[in-house]
Amino acid sequence: MKTLVWVEHDNASVKDATLAAVTAASKLGEVHLLVAGKGCAGVADEAAKIAGVGKVHLADDAAYEHALAENVAPLIVELMSHHDAFIAPATSHGKNIAPRVAALLDVMQISDILSVESEDTFTRPTYAGNAIATVQSKDAKKVITVRGTAFDKAATSGGSGSVEAVSSTGEAGTSRFVGAEIVKLERPELTSAKIIVSGGRALKDAETFQSTIYPLADKLGAAVGASRAAVDAGYAPNDYQVGQTGKIVAPEVYVAVGISGAIQHLAGMKDSKTIIAINKDEDAPIFQVADIGLVGDLFKIVPELTEKL
Amino acid sequence: MKLLVPIKRVIDYNVKPRVKADGSGVDLANVKMSMNPFDEIAVEEALRLREKGVASEVVVVSIGPAKAQETLRTGLAMGADRAILIQTDDEVEPLGVAKLLAKVQEEEQAGLIILGKQAIDDDSNQTGQMLAALLGRPQGTFASKVEVSGDAVAVTREVDGGLETVSLTLPAIVTTDLRLNEPRYASLPNIMKAKSKPLATKTPADYGVDVSPRLATLKVVEPPKRSAGVKVADVDELVAKLKAMGVAA
């Protein structure tokens, strides 16, 4: 199978999420990449060095600068006339673009895959990760998004792909990029962070939440998350919420501080590689999923931990 | 301008889904069902646009079993004007749903279609994008702010690392993210009033859409249980573990 992988980038460098998608694609056969953007020839050169990459399609045009789905989808559909599968990382770009491509190709997308079982069979989480479905696609072409934390990252060197320019399909003319507030966060972004420190209702109030959780997060270079209870109580803004109705995360390390571990919350973080729980209640459900647990008063433990790191 | 809001009846988000022992799926018998939380946000946004005078009518539509009527009545009780049920007992995939909604849009000619960003049962996050593709219209996914002015809608989107704003020419498709609004509760009088609001019932065949599934679900299993962890006695031991994992220097 020939697979086309969407390269996630910021017109300057390849984003990590792409590397996991390349690994997933390599399980299907030949891997081609698509670098679409404006002034992104450097990105294509970088992408060509990714291990296992055959060809890099470079679409350099103002229409692709902001990865607007309306402009990018027709380009991908055109390239799909000589590819068997399209794979995008399950990032906000990938999730925005891939289903549009799938519908234009009249195929069902397979979202957020966890594994490749065979050329047409994949596993994916449903019900917020409470059920893992094995699905087989009957469509001639596959459109897939890949959960980044479920696949190893392909090496960024050792590849020798060839870069080939493809012509632009132009502006669709129905959408326009206005602006972005890509805030240079002091901390990593929640869904892509390697480490997350998350606080729950036990943090008492917003000030305590900030003075307890933030220093530890900064020490670890971690993103800050919160349980729904903490968000509902106003300790943290709601885009911090980890859970079934919030963000679903799967970092390398998830530190749950003062979080009991309700189903709602576990659904959002139980695919984390290592879970560390700090809670004074040793019967809290969070300890059933935690790899490392520490029972005790978080107001003593967390400052001590921050101090000793 | 008319607003179209597709809504889905799903397992209530507070319920822990149980995987059936035979691996055929999730047990939905006698389980509490509700409107998908992201769809409540979509209905709320539509109602606010109507209250601002931007929209004149809010139509809710659902595809599913007869019981999806209850979900539509909830939408009507929140304040929607009328409802359409496309009744089927088969499970319809996002592509099929998008095709049916495209047909509904042909009839309704809504200026804006607002959907939830994903349903909490299949977690696909596809229908809105697919509908936009089939209609050849622009999409504003994961919206945290929606502002209609003239023949365009400015949508602020939640993207990895921040927010971005796009301007879309109407008609357009918007999918809601959690931050967009706080949905209202239906009051008892409004629940009573909703019972007499119009609800049209159709079938996929009425629209001539083939909704047969493209994906076969071979099996559904519980996620692997996490192996039991260890409890550490104090902070020093925790720090040592973190260092061993390479998390701390």
Side-chain angles (χ1 to χ4, degrees):
Chain A
M1 272 177 95
K2 242 200 265 177
T3 302
L4 183 69
V5 176
W6 168 260
V7 174
E8 182 88 8
H9 66 88
D10 52 7
N11 289 310
S13 62
V14 175
K15 297 261 174 119
D16 261 14
T18 309
L19 303 174
V22 167
T23 302
S26 66
K27 294 178 192 291
L28 293 175
E30 208 177 316
V31 181
H32 291 186
L33 302 184
L34 169 61
V35 174
K38 188 187 164 199
C40 54
V43 177
D45 291 337
E46 192 187 331
K49 295 195 182 81
I50 298 172
V53 167
K55 195 186 282 179
V56 178
H57 299 279
L58 170 61
D60 203 326
D61 191 279
Y64 307 132
E65 185 175 7
H66 301 290
L68 292 173
E70 297 79 5
N71 296 348
V72 166
L75 170 72
I76 297 166
V77 168
E78 203 169 279
L79 289 168
M80 283 304 287
S81 61
H82 47 90
H83 287 89
D84 307 299
F86 174 69
I87 290 189
T91 55
S92 53
H93 278 321
K95 290 191 274 196
N96 188 42
I97 293 164
R100 193 165 177 115
V101 172
L104 293 174
L105 294 171
D106 193 30
V107 306
M108 245 311 279
Q109 176 182 299
I110 306 127
S111 295
D112 217 14
I113 63 161
L114 301 172
S115 74
V116 175
E117 301 295 305
S118 73
E119 275 194 359
D120 62 1
T121 307
F122 311 88
T123 64
R124 59 173 306 264
T126 58
Y127 292 89
N130 283 301
I132 310 296
T134 305
V135 295
Q136 184 175 33
S137 167
K138 298 175 198 165
D139 287 316
K141 292 187 191 277
K142 318 289 180 236
V143 173
I144 297 162
T145 61
V146 170
R147 178 171 287 194
T149 47
F151 292 87
D152 293 332
K153 292 182 174 68
T156 51
S157 61
S160 53
S162 57
V163 178
E164 191 180 288
V166 293
S167 52
S168 172
T169 47
E171 295 265 359
T174 51
S175 62
R176 187 169 53 82
F177 178 83
V178 178
E181 284 174 53
I182 304 300
V183 268
K184 282 280 167 241
L185 289 171
E186 297 161 48
R187 300 181 188 85
E189 201 270 327
L190 199 52
T191 45
S192 56
K194 286 196 176 72
I195 306 175
I196 295 173
V197 178
S198 223
R201 184 161 26 201
L203 271 308
K204 283 193 184 134
D205 53 43
E207 290 84 71
T208 317
F209 189 95
Q210 286 175 19
S211 63
T212 314
I213 299 293
Y214 289 14
L216 177 59
D218 291 342
K219 237 354 184 325
L220 292 168
V224 174
S227 70
R228 184 175 179 141
V231 170
D232 285 351
Y235 304 171
N238 69 350
D239 52 326
Y240 282 34
Q241 186 184 318
V242 172
Q244 191 167 10
T245 51
K247 289 182 170 144
I248 298 193
V249 299
E252 304 270 327
V253 181
Y254 189 90
V255 187
V257 179
I259 291 175
S260 65
I263 307 165
Q264 213 282 130
H265 188 74
L266 296 184
M269 47 63 85
K270 67 180 160 47
D271 291 328
S272 307
K273 223 166 236 168
T274 303
I275 297 172
I276 299 172
I278 299 171
N279 204 301
K280 68 168 186 253
D281 174 10
E282 63 179 312
D283 296 323
I286 190 78
F287 286 119
Q288 289 164 23
V289 299
D291 301 283
I292 305 172
L294 179 50
V295 179
D297 179 6
L298 70 92
F299 296 108
K300 269 176 29 204
I301 290 171
V302 176
E304 190 187 339
L305 178 59
T306 307
E307 169 78 39
K308 286 183 174 164
L309 283 170
Chain B
M1 177 168 87
K2 193 190 285 184
L3 302 180
L4 190 62
V5 185
I7 57 181
K8 187 177 186 184
R9 179 178 183 265
V10 299
I11 187 169
D12 189 89
Y13 75 89
N14 281 311
V15 176
K16 173 148 173 77
R18 279 206 335 269
V19 174
K20 287 191 214 165
D22 65 359
S24 63
V26 166
D27 193 357
L28 296 176
N30 304 315
V31 168
K32 187 184 178 208
M33 305 289 277
S34 302
M35 191 191 301
N36 180 44
F38 292 105
D39 302 350
E40 287 185 0
I41 297 172
V43 173
E44 176 65 34
E45 195 63 21
L47 297 175
R48 290 185 189 190
L49 288 170
R50 194 189 61 194
E51 282 154 10
K52 276 187 209 156
V54 171
S56 50
E57 190 186 24
V58 175
V59 182
V60 286
V61 52
S62 191
I63 296 154
K67 282 199 166 161
Q69 272 196 31
E70 294 166 11
T71 312
L72 289 167
R73 291 286 173 207
T74 306
L76 294 171
M78 284 173 78
D81 298 290
R82 65 189 164 88
I84 303 166
L85 171 65
I86 304 174
Q87 195 175 323
T88 170
D89 286 326
D90 299 326
E91 215 167 293
V92 185
E93 292 170 342
L95 183 63
V97 170
K99 286 179 179 179
L100 286 169
L101 293 175
K103 293 285 184 187
V104 173
Q105 169 64 357
E106 259 174 43
E107 285 176 2
E108 296 289 341
Q109 297 290 317
L112 197 57
I113 307 175
I114 310 178
L115 305 87
K117 76 164 176 182
Q118 75 188 64
I120 61 164
D121 52 0
D122 65 12
D123 284 333
S124 292
N125 194 333
Q126 300 175 5
T127 305
Q129 296 90 315
M130 287 181 157
L131 176 60
L134 296 177
L135 294 171
R137 299 308 310 167
Q139 65 193 48
T141 50
F142 324 139
S144 62
K145 196 169 161 198
V146 174
E147 275 176 308
V148 177
S149 59
D151 65 346
V153 57
V155 179
T156 301
R157 307 178 52 233
E158 296 204 13
V159 295
D160 297 334
L163 300 170
E164 79 171 35
T165 304
V166 290
S167 174
L168 314 174
T169 310
L170 298 175
I173 288 80
V174 167
T175 75
T176 62
D177 215 323
L178 214 57
R179 261 209 286 188
L180 183 58
N181 60 48
E182 191 85 41
R184 70 194 65 185
Y185 290 102
S187 66
L188 190 59
N190 286 341
I191 292 171
M192 299 311 290
K193 238 192 285 176
K195 290 186 204 268
S196 55
K197 286 184 180 176
L199 191 157
T201 304
K202 307 258 191 169
T203 66
D206 293 339
Y207 295 99
V209 173
D210 173 16
V211 293
S212 49
R214 306 292 189 83
L215 299 180
T217 300
L218 304 183
K219 69 174 180 206
V220 177
V221 297
E222 285 197 18
K225 290 256 186 299
R226 296 187 71 99
S227 51
V230 294
K231 286 218 172 108
V232 293
D234 53 30
V235 171
D236 290 327
E237 212 181 314
L238 180 54
V239 171
K241 289 259 184 204
L242 288 172
K243 284 185 177 162
M245 282 159 53
V247 172

